[in-house]
Amino acid sequence: MPCPSSCPPGLLALMAPGLALMATFSLPSHAGDRRALPVEKPPGVKGRTLILLDVNTKSPVRIISENFLSLQLDPSIIHDGWLDFLSSRRLVTLARGLAPAFLRFAGKRTDFLQFHNVKNPAKNRGGPGPDYYLKNYEDARSLDKLYNFADCSGLHLIFALNALRRNPNNSWNSSNALSLLKYSASKKYNISWELGNEPNNYRTLIGRSVNGSQLGKDYIQLRSLLQLIRTYSRANLYGPNIGRPRKNVIALLEGFMKVAGSTVDAVTWQHYYIDGRVAKATDFLKTRLLDTLSDQIRKIQKVVNTYTPGKKIWLEGVGATSAGGMNNLSNSYAAGFLWLNTLGLLASQGIDVVVRHSFLDHSHNHLVDQNFNPLPDYWLSLLYKRLIGPKVLAIHVAGLQRKPRPGRVIRDKLRIYAHCTSYHNHNYVRGSITLYIINLHRSRKKIKLAGTLRDKIVHQYLLQPYGKDGLHSKSVQLNGQPLAMVDDGTLPELKPRPLRAGRTLVIPPLTMSFYVVKNVNALACRYR
């Protein structure tokens, strides 16, 4: 099946989320040297606003997947006429901008879809029409469209199979999944697989639960099916895609890991920060909210490392809000603070992949709207893909801040992460470093690069809201220039603002920014 246009072959610093920058404090690296930074005040810079920043360039503290920032499509989109819209040249251009990445096809409707190997289910069944069947069936034509979209966009498809087809003894009925697997193999589709979506919610959905042990047995059964089909004998299998790790969910995960921990190639879970029905714009600026993910990471890592030490962990399904998101909020500039901090925090904690829910048209958490226009989080993701490589570097920070009051925690509103610059970006030589900075303060902050970063030329990519809506804006500007597609087949050039060597970085209030420090010749970043 031809693509709508030519088809190509088919930073994070280790920084505690609650860090307070104190005058005599140096943030130690978890790897490499632990020297403290001097805190002398350079001429002309007020001491209260100065933050000194250096990066350990000797070795990375984490190495994440090249596909670290990945995407999800929710099956709810298949009600809209055969998935033909996935052939849109504009949509392929937007998706291709975020490659390489995984494309996960999964969501709440996953466990209600059935596959039928027919090109026109309405015609073959004499039924009421394609829309009815595509709400409940995954037919051959829609699967072809889905795979072709992923392939032409440079994305690797991960398909979640229906786990709620059950036998009387509550074991998984794999007959429909086998039909889909055989069809995909006949087309030589390169797909990875999952089984179900948020199994901890099955009792709510159908009044019938599946415990962790049984789910583990189901995954072993799926692995056996894959091994029987030559095309998928070595295919990757991911799961169990649990929800937030509360007590009952942790129990389900433990039961699963005991039985099938070695069967999956990565352990997956989901996270949504806010109940979308009650959230406010100011919620996206709360450091306490940004830090909630850290505790979940620790809970998941504890279980996984107990049963399969070293197993990769993915956050597979993440968004600003549950309940489908909030109009004018979770698709606005303000939501980007959560998204960029999520990327930084996960990489610094060694989470291998994060899957954004959703790429397109799932209420208001998406990157691209129903008219195929990119939203603020899309441009943020595009900058991340262009500038950030998989090697995470440790930072060293010293600064001046008021003393904390007794019994009061000062949470960090200035978050700094560092990576080796992406090897795919040919504008920068290997050995360059990219910083990205979130300033939640309502005042500007000044950062002086020190140590190995001192007196280097820096390229600034400052992302701010565009228009009069401020934090609610659905448009953004890069270094003062609004971002928009040139045409359906062309993304805009992301032009940096060069800063002279040795210049203090001035971070405007309530902004997100990337800084490429050129020609550092960092040992950690010279080789892939």
Side-chain angles (χ1 to χ4, degrees):
M1 184 178 298
C3 297
S5 59
S6 58
C7 181
L11 290 277
L12 311 170
L14 197 61
M15 183 178 188
L19 175 65
L21 301 176
M22 307 303 294
T24 59
F25 181 79
S26 169
L27 179 65
S29 162
H30 287 238
D33 79 66
R34 294 175 177 265
R35 54 195 165 85
L37 292 174
V39 292
E40 296 86 2
K41 305 173 187 177
V45 180
K46 292 183 179 180
R48 285 183 61 82
T49 62
L50 177 65
I51 296 166
L52 300 181
L53 172 65
D54 191 12
V55 173
N56 179 0
T57 61
K58 295 179 180 179
S59 60
V61 292
R62 299 280 190 271
I63 300 177
I64 53 178
S65 171
E66 289 275 359
N67 292 6
F68 173 71
L69 195 169
S70 287
L71 308 170
Q72 181 166 328
L73 275 179
D74 195 283
S76 62
I77 67 171
I78 68 172
H79 67 77
D80 191 12
W82 305 107
L83 290 181
D84 281 355
F85 64 89
L86 289 181
S87 298
S88 163
R89 184 185 182 206
R90 184 180 182 88
L91 200 59
V92 169
T93 299
L94 289 166
R96 188 180 294 163
L98 302 181
F102 297 107
L103 179 67
R104 179 178 184 251
F105 187 72
K108 288 184 178 179
R109 191 168 290 173
T110 289
D111 292 302
F112 297 95
L113 289 177
Q114 299 181 51
F115 176 75
H116 289 274
N117 187 4
V118 291
K119 291 292 183 179
N120 188 332
K123 181 177 179 180
N124 279 270
R125 292 171 169 268
D131 187 65
Y132 170 83
Y133 286 106
L134 289 175
K135 285 180 180 177
N136 302 285
Y137 295 92
E138 175 73 19
D139 72 300
R141 176 175 172 174
S142 56
L143 180 59
D144 293 342
K145 289 285 186 182
L146 176 65
Y147 185 82
N148 193 55
F149 170 74
D151 190 48
C152 290
S153 303
L155 310 176
H156 177 79
L157 182 62
I158 300 174
F159 193 99
L161 299 165
N162 183 343
L164 283 182
R165 287 178 61 89
R166 293 274 147 185
N167 296 314
N169 64 357
N170 208 30
S171 64
W172 179 49
N173 184 326
S174 62
S175 58
N176 189 255
L178 183 59
S179 177
L180 191 154
L181 290 171
K182 288 181 176 179
Y183 176 80
S184 299
S186 72
K187 305 286 284 189
K188 301 190 184 304
Y189 288 161
N190 181 20
I191 302 177
S192 295
W193 303 94
E194 295 182 357
L195 182 59
N197 184 75
E198 285 196 274
N200 47 289
N201 287 337
Y202 286 168
R203 180 174 290 279
T204 302
L205 290 174
I206 63 167
R208 184 179 186 181
S209 63
V210 178
N211 63 35
S213 177
Q214 180 58 56
L215 189 64
K217 294 175 183 177
D218 299 337
Y219 264 79
I220 291 173
Q221 182 181 351
L222 174 54
R223 174 63 80 184
S224 298
L225 283 182
L226 294 174
Q227 290 173 342
L228 292 174
I229 301 172
R230 179 178 298 179
T231 303
Y232 299 123
S233 61
R234 297 184 179 181
N236 286 332
L237 178 61
Y238 306 111
N241 197 249
I242 55 171
R244 296 184 65 175
R246 299 182 176 91
K247 185 176 180 180
N248 64 314
V249 179
I250 288 295
L252 188 151
L253 179 61
E254 288 176 335
F256 175 85
M257 296 300 296
K258 288 178 183 178
V259 174
S262 60
T263 300
V264 292
D265 295 283
V267 177
T268 62
W269 99 102
Q270 298 188 22
H271 175 70
Y272 296 91
Y273 284 93
I274 317 173
D275 184 338
R277 294 165 293 188
V278 299
K280 305 180 295 295
T282 53
D283 288 339
F284 295 105
L285 307 178
K286 293 179 179 178
T287 55
R288 192 177 300 276
L289 175 66
L290 270 63
D291 295 340
T292 57
L293 183 57
S294 296
D295 183 56
Q296 292 198 27
I297 294 172
R298 286 191 291 269
K299 289 179 179 179
I300 297 293
Q301 287 177 331
K302 181 179 179 181
V303 174
V304 172
N305 290 329
T306 297
Y307 295 98
T308 54
K311 177 74 68 176
K312 292 179 179 179
I313 301 173
W314 292 11
L315 179 54
E316 197 182 60
V318 62
T321 64
S322 61
M326 304 162 292
N327 192 19
N328 297 322
L329 286 179
S330 53
N331 54 4
S332 68
Y333 178 85
F337 295 115
L338 276 180
W339 179 225
L340 189 58
N341 187 72
T342 296
L343 294 171
L345 184 61
L346 291 171
S348 68
Q349 296 292 331
I351 303 303
D352 197 51
V353 170
V354 54
V355 179
R356 171 60 187 254
H357 188 197
S358 177
F359 174 64
L360 171 72
D361 190 25
H362 179 73
S363 298
H364 305 290
N365 274 329
H366 46 260
L367 301 182
V368 178
D369 70 17
Q370 294 179 353
N371 297 316
F372 304 163
N373 293 315
L375 293 164
D377 276 7
Y378 176 85
W379 297 116
L380 188 59
S381 301
L382 184 64
L383 278 167
Y384 189 96
K385 281 286 189 178
R386 295 283 177 88
L387 301 175
I388 305 299
K391 292 185 178 180
V392 186
L393 304 175
I395 64 169
H396 307 271
V397 181
L400 295 175
Q401 189 186 54
R402 62 183 174 83
K403 292 183 179 180
R405 298 174 185 175
R408 181 179 177 182
V409 176
I410 298 179
R411 291 180 177 269
D412 181 34
K413 289 190 173 185
L414 187 70
R415 295 172 183 241
I416 307 171
Y417 301 97
H419 279 231
C420 296
T421 302
S422 173
Y423 299 127
H424 300 294
N425 193 324
H426 300 301
N427 294 323
Y428 302 108
V429 298
R430 291 191 181 184
S432 299
I433 288 172
T434 301
L435 310 170
Y436 55 101
I437 301 173
I438 303 168
N439 184 12
L440 296 171
H441 290 278
R442 297 185 182 273
S443 60
R444 68 180 186 174
K445 297 298 172 183
K446 295 180 179 180
I447 297 177
K448 190 72 174 178
L449 301 183
T452 54
L453 309 185
R454 184 187 293 115
D455 298 329
K456 301 296 183 183
I457 295 175
V458 175
H459 279 184
Q460 172 186 275
Y461 298 82
L462 175 62
L463 201 65
Q464 295 174 291
Y466 179 70
K468 63 181 180 180
D469 293 330
L471 294 178
H472 288 84
S473 178
K474 293 183 176 62
S475 300
V476 294
Q477 54 184 329
L478 179 65
N479 296 325
Q481 298 298 315
L483 288 175
M485 294 186 72
V486 177
D487 54 46
D488 286 352
T490 311
L491 293 169
E493 182 182 357
L494 303 178
K495 296 181 180 180
R497 179 190 175 195
L499 305 179
R500 71 175 183 272
R503 177 173 173 175
T504 298
L505 307 182
V506 180
I507 316 300
L510 300 177
T511 58
M512 296 165 280
S513 50
F514 296 78
Y515 295 89
V516 179
V517 188
K518 299 181 65 179
N519 305 321
V520 178
N521 198 28
L523 179 62
C525 305
R526 291 181 199 166
Y527 310 102
R528 297 188 69 169

